[in-house]
Amino acid sequence: MANFKLHTPYPPAGDQPQAIEKLAEGLDKDYRHQTLFGATGTGKTYTVANVIARRDAPTLVLAHNKTLAAQLAQEYREFFPENAVHYFVSYYDYYQPEAYIAHSDTYIEKEAMINEEIDRLRHAATQALLTRRDVIIVASVSAIYGLGSPEEYEKVHVKLETGRPETRGQLIRKLIGIYFERTTADLNPGQLRAIGNSLEFMPVNERVLYRIAFAGDSVSSIDKLDPVSRSKLEEPSVIFVYPAKHFVTSEDERNRAIEDIKLELEEQLAKFKREEKPLEAERLKRRTLHDIALIRELGYTSGIENYSRHFDGRKAGQPPYTLLSYFRKNSELFGTQGRTLNPNSQGSISDAGFLTVIDESHVTVPQIGGMFEGDRSRKDNLVQYGFRLPSARDNRPLTFEEFEERVGQTIYTSATPGPYERKHSEQIVEQVIRPTGLVDPELLVHPVSVQTRSTLMWPIGDTKVQQENGKYGGQIADFINEAEKVIRRNGRALATTLTKRMAEDLAEFLRQRGMKAEYLHSDVKTIERIDILTNFRKGEFDILVGVNLLREGLDLPEVELVGILDADKEGFLRSETSLIQTIGRAARNVLGRVILYADVMTGSLEKAIGETQRRREKQLAYNKEHGITPRTIQKEIRDIAASMRTEHQKTVDELLALDTVAYKDDPTAFIKRKRREMAEAVEQLDFETAALIRDEIYRLEGTKPVRKARKRRALS
């Protein structure tokens, strides 16, 4: 049994009780699809948490970006402190996929920077699914990408037990066999070192050390140590050590895969010969034979994932193993609590033994559906021109149909459900009334350009929106004027632009005006995004400028003002859905206001304002009936990125805390001194210290290293 234990800081209120009952009843009636149609700030996550506790089954929560996923993971950890809540997103800080541009004959090599801490969290998530049933995984779309077989990952784990026969040499060989690396320096995740008659290693899923002591030919003790202080945390009698990589292959399977790769190479070379493509044939032959040699000798080569079909033993066209395969494995290991496990094809599952929650479904559902085609187009080019074997196409995300097969009962949550949810849901549960009594924000429409207008009244349903009198000096000047009023009373302001460049330029312009502002968009690294949002809530700056990341799901109760620039530019970023979502960012504060900058009343504006007015009236009526005085949401500010920082990053943070005052006294002299210290560290071959100083300089100067994709002309 899963036995989820929900921590309830407050009883359900507003529309939450009826929403919880309806959704739980829907699950009992075996509804496959349900939608929670909830306004911003009504506590959809708390409602879903109550439903998870009632359903009492492993749960996958899908979010459309890493920042929202991190926020949701933190919230679910607070609701389920005794259960396993994990975060699973792409572990790349920087990723340039392999590609070939035919018209310029340019080959772009894959280049990636892996975030070790996010990789650790991924391992923690998959290991939790293989060891317990009370698991909630909050994931991005990374959940539908290839991950490696859960059967192989689970099968090759190492069990260590005190008193069990085991020599130090045997254990070293076992750990190296599951991709641990031997070192004589400080341990990082996935590394081991021998010290005297003991062995120490750091697993990939925890920030701890294990010291294994031997007496004769058996394990005498197991100590769990703090990696920094080396103080003893625990003396477990038994532990399980899982592989340091998700892609695990035995030697026999590796040899079989190599033979399969060679056979496919022969077939593709014959095809190129028939098509009279000698250049492509030679290119493919050289690349593949080089990869085979490395795989045979080292067990690994750059781009090995392109051969994943052969290592997994899949047939052409069969979908890869993904995080969903680990949920299936969980159901096989621990049962499905009365649900039927029906494999439709390799790795697939219908009526699954786990619950799926798709957050902000109007964005996440189309995102899931769009991943396959983009990946396939890029791979087709690589195969056509001889850079990859056709099997590379099977290293891919799931199609939407494959995703549907692999999930069972699903709850979609959104303030603006999309057409898919509306069409497929057996019931749509509305949650509009907020427990806090908060009303949807007041809406104002100000003109974009410099002009003076008489008062205009635009009829919208049974309500009206007034465009105020006055000369505004353009939308930027007007937003600054309104933001200054908010900042004077210690509030926060958001501004949304149409492009990343506009967001950066506006943030810089505001800083030049003496205002504390930052920008946020998809080019900002995952952990840095979360840091920016945390610092914004703390008041380290007052205005946050963004494009699309400031819409769905972000919980920022300090925000009193949202300025939507160019609100009348019809399109994806100014559609009815986008406008309603952006308006919702001001719905968690009793003083919330939204200014829509527009010269014309578009259809999207009309619908978004109309829906906001409908919700305002419903909440106001509820407040009046129950004597409720609205109050701003009180939410503790937590550093939700703390668990994702490496020890390197934490050390840089500590250096910054110590050096900030000296930097402010004389920035130029301070940076010069730091650069000298960095050069001295390099001369002494102390590269770790040099890297720490380098990253401190980057942070102080507000810059970051620029990485460009390595490109080269294709082999000819």
Side-chain angles (χ1 to χ4, degrees):
M1 297 295 288
N3 199 23
F4 282 92
K5 296 179 181 178
L6 176 64
H7 171 68
T8 53
Y10 45 83
D15 270 350
Q16 291 173 345
Q18 60 88 25
I20 293 166
E21 286 302 318
K22 288 180 180 178
L23 291 170
E25 288 173 6
L27 293 176
D28 291 339
K29 293 176 182 176
D30 285 329
Y31 287 168
R32 181 73 183 270
H33 303 276
Q34 298 184 83
T35 294
L36 177 59
F37 175 25
T40 300
T42 57
K44 295 190 290 295
T45 305
Y46 185 50
T47 295
V48 171
N50 277 268
V51 175
I52 290 172
R54 293 269 291 267
R55 175 68 177 82
D56 205 33
T59 302
L60 170 65
V61 180
L62 281 174
H64 65 88
N65 67 55
K66 296 178 180 181
T67 309
L68 178 56
Q71 178 179 295
L72 287 169
Q74 182 60 46
E75 290 178 355
Y76 280 114
R77 287 189 187 113
E78 293 171 3
F79 291 138
F80 296 101
E82 298 179 47
N83 303 111
V85 179
H86 292 281
Y87 178 68
F88 186 96
V89 298
S90 168
Y91 53 21
Y92 295 118
D93 273 341
Y94 171 80
Y95 183 66
Q96 168 61 57
E98 180 183 33
Y100 176 65
I101 304 170
H103 72 267
S104 61
D105 189 30
T106 303
Y107 171 69
I108 303 174
E109 293 182 272
K110 184 184 87 168
E111 186 175 3
M113 285 187 62
I114 292 177
N115 184 301
E116 290 182 357
E117 286 303 299
I118 295 181
D119 188 32
R120 180 185 67 80
L121 295 172
R122 286 164 64 93
H123 279 280
T126 52
Q127 290 179 29
L129 284 169
L130 296 177
T131 55
R132 57 196 295 178
R133 188 158 172 79
D134 60 328
V135 182
I136 298 172
I137 308 294
V138 183
S140 67
V141 74
S142 180
I144 68 170
Y145 278 79
L147 189 59
S149 167
E151 282 76 16
E152 290 296 320
Y153 187 77
E154 194 267 344
K155 183 170 65 179
V156 301
H157 72 265
V158 173
K159 180 181 180 181
L160 291 174
E161 188 173 5
T162 54
R164 184 173 180 174
E166 189 91 65
T167 67
R168 195 189 72 164
Q170 288 172 337
L171 181 55
I172 289 174
R173 287 190 290 273
K174 283 183 180 180
L175 293 178
I176 289 175
I178 58 174
Y179 302 104
F180 276 72
E181 297 176 357
R182 192 165 182 173
T183 182
T184 56
D186 290 340
L187 290 175
N188 290 314
Q191 291 184 336
L192 64 92
R193 66 184 172 198
I195 302 177
N197 196 36
S198 64
L199 180 72
E200 293 184 346
F201 66 88
M202 181 178 285
V204 289
N205 65 314
E206 296 180 275
R207 280 206 202 98
V208 295
L209 294 180
Y210 284 98
R211 182 196 293 140
I212 314 300
F214 299 87
D217 293 337
S218 64
V219 175
S220 61
S221 66
I222 301 173
D223 293 332
K224 186 176 182 179
L225 308 175
D226 181 278
V228 179
S229 68
R230 298 187 66 81
S231 60
K232 187 182 295 186
L233 303 174
E234 194 180 341
E235 291 185 44
S237 60
V238 60
I239 60 172
F240 295 88
V241 187
Y242 283 85
K245 299 181 185 297
H246 276 112
F247 293 91
V248 181
T249 310
S250 66
E251 186 175 353
D252 289 342
E253 286 296 300
R254 183 164 65 243
N255 292 334
R256 179 199 52 75
I258 288 173
E259 293 306 312
D260 288 347
I261 294 169
K262 289 164 72 175
L263 181 60
E264 185 187 13
L265 174 61
E266 291 176 9
E267 293 172 353
Q268 188 67 2
L269 291 178
K271 179 176 180 292
F272 280 146
K273 185 176 181 180
R274 290 194 302 272
E275 295 173 352
E276 297 183 350
K277 293 182 175 179
L279 173 61
E280 287 80 357
E282 178 61 24
R283 180 185 288 153
L284 182 65
K285 182 179 178 180
R286 269 198 268 174
R287 160 64 66 84
T288 309
L289 291 179
H290 174 74
D291 286 347
I292 288 174
L294 288 175
I295 293 170
R296 180 179 285 117
E297 295 299 320
L298 305 176
Y300 180 81
T301 184
S302 177
I304 193 172
E305 66 275 6
N306 289 291
Y307 304 105
S308 61
R309 189 189 87 197
H310 296 294
F311 287 98
D312 293 342
R314 290 181 282 129
K315 296 178 181 178
Q318 276 193 318
Y321 294 104
T322 65
L323 181 64
L324 300 178
S325 307
Y326 284 76
F327 272 95
R328 170 189 167 81
K329 186 66 178 176
N330 179 278
S331 298
E332 292 176 351
L333 290 170
F334 302 103
T336 60
Q337 295 192 15
R339 263 54 182 183
T340 304
L341 193 63
N342 297 320
N344 296 325
S345 61
Q346 180 271 336
S348 70
I349 177 173
S350 64
D351 298 328
F354 65 94
L355 176 65
T356 301
V357 177
I358 302 184
D359 197 74
E360 303 296 350
S361 57
H362 61 285
V363 177
T364 311
V365 168
Q367 186 184 63
I368 293 169
M371 294 296 102
F372 174 80
E373 290 300 333
D375 183 84
R376 185 57 178 260
S377 175
R378 182 173 57 82
K379 295 282 178 54
D380 281 346
N381 234 21
L382 291 167
V383 171
Q384 179 183 350
Y385 291 97
F387 290 95
R388 287 292 172 193
L389 291 169
S391 57
R393 296 189 180 106
D394 292 316
N395 168 45
R396 60 172 176 83
L398 298 175
T399 65
F400 191 75
E401 292 73 21
E402 291 165 347
F403 171 79
E404 285 182 303
E405 288 177 0
R406 283 156 178 73
V407 297
Q409 293 183 301
T410 304
I411 296 174
Y412 307 91
T413 70
S414 176
T416 52
Y420 178 87
E421 304 93 288
R422 292 185 180 278
K423 177 182 177 182
H424 289 83
S425 291
E426 283 99 328
Q427 72 166 335
I428 296 178
V429 179
E430 184 171 276
Q431 182 172 302
V432 175
I433 303 300
R434 297 179 177 89
T436 56
L438 277 172
V439 183
D440 278 77
E442 176 188 4
L443 301 183
L444 299 169
V445 181
H446 289 186
V448 174
S449 52
V450 179
Q451 54 190 306
T452 302
R453 291 185 177 180
S454 60
T455 298
L456 297 178
M457 300 296 287
W458 281 323
I460 301 171
D462 295 328
T463 64
K464 294 180 179 180
V465 175
Q466 179 174 325
Q467 185 185 53
E468 297 178 348
N469 282 319
K471 187 171 183 177
Y472 293 98
Q475 60 183 348
I476 303 300
D478 182 66
F479 174 75
I480 291 173
N481 180 55
E482 296 292 341
E484 285 174 340
K485 298 176 188 176
V486 168
I487 293 167
R488 280 196 290 271
R489 56 175 180 259
N490 201 33
R492 314 278 190 279
L494 292 178
T496 64
T497 65
L498 290 174
T499 67
K500 297 175 186 178
R501 178 65 181 272
M502 288 171 64
E504 294 176 10
D505 289 348
L506 178 55
E508 179 60 28
F509 179 73
L510 293 171
R511 286 194 287 264
Q512 290 174 359
R513 290 285 302 263
M515 307 178 83
K516 293 186 289 184
E518 293 287 348
Y519 67 84
L520 183 72
H521 54 59
S522 59
D523 286 347
V524 178
K525 292 179 181 178
T526 305
I527 296 177
E528 193 176 340
R529 291 181 207 171
I530 299 167
D531 284 336
I532 288 170
L533 292 171
T534 301
N535 292 336
F536 180 53
R537 292 198 61 206
K538 288 178 178 177
E540 293 186 16
F541 59 95
D542 304 309
I543 302 176
L544 182 57
V545 187
V547 187
N548 206 27
L549 293 179
L550 299 185
R551 285 172 36 196
E552 288 84 6
L554 292 183
D555 193 351
L556 306 169
E558 294 77 15
V559 171
E560 293 183 14
L561 173 68
V562 174
I564 304 179
L565 306 180
D566 300 301
D568 55 359
K569 300 295 188 292
E570 279 277 23
F572 171 70
L573 293 177
R574 297 296 181 261
S575 65
E576 175 192 355
T577 295
S578 294
L579 290 169
I580 290 174
Q581 289 289 342
T582 308
I583 288 168
R585 295 319 101 210
R588 290 177 167 86
N589 193 298
V590 72
L591 300 176
R593 288 187 307 138
V594 178
I595 301 177
L596 300 144
Y597 291 96
D599 289 334
V600 296
M601 180 56 66
T602 64
S604 294
L605 273 170
E606 196 169 317
K607 292 173 184 175
I609 296 171
E611 175 61 16
T612 302
Q613 292 296 112
R614 181 187 77 83
R615 295 177 183 178
R616 276 180 65 89
E617 291 170 3
K618 190 170 182 177
Q619 183 76 55
L620 287 168
Y622 179 86
N623 291 352
K624 184 177 180 181
E625 180 183 349
H626 294 85
I628 294 175
T629 301
R631 62 185 189 278
T632 298
I633 291 174
Q634 299 298 315
K635 187 178 179 70
E636 185 178 352
I637 301 174
R638 293 180 179 270
D639 185 358
I640 58 178
S643 64
M644 288 175 264
R645 289 194 181 87
T646 62
E647 292 302 318
H648 175 93
Q649 291 167 318
K650 289 178 180 177
T651 305
V652 173
D653 290 341
E654 292 169 3
L655 289 173
L656 284 168
L658 294 171
D659 291 342
T660 299
V661 174
Y663 172 74
K664 288 181 178 178
D665 287 344
D666 191 341
T668 303
F670 183 85
I671 293 297
K672 283 183 179 179
R673 178 166 63 83
K674 281 292 177 180
R675 291 192 184 280
R676 283 196 304 271
E677 291 176 5
M678 182 172 66
E680 290 169 3
V682 171
E683 287 178 5
Q684 296 169 15
L685 304 182
D686 185 359
F687 298 114
E688 176 60 27
T689 299
L692 290 169
I693 298 171
R694 176 204 63 196
D695 289 349
E696 183 187 9
I697 293 170
Y698 283 142
R699 293 272 293 277
L700 287 169
E701 292 183 329
T703 60
K704 51 192 173 186
V706 177
R707 294 181 176 86
K708 297 181 179 179
R710 294 196 303 271
K711 302 181 182 180
R712 68 167 185 250
R713 289 292 176 186
L715 297 173
S716 58

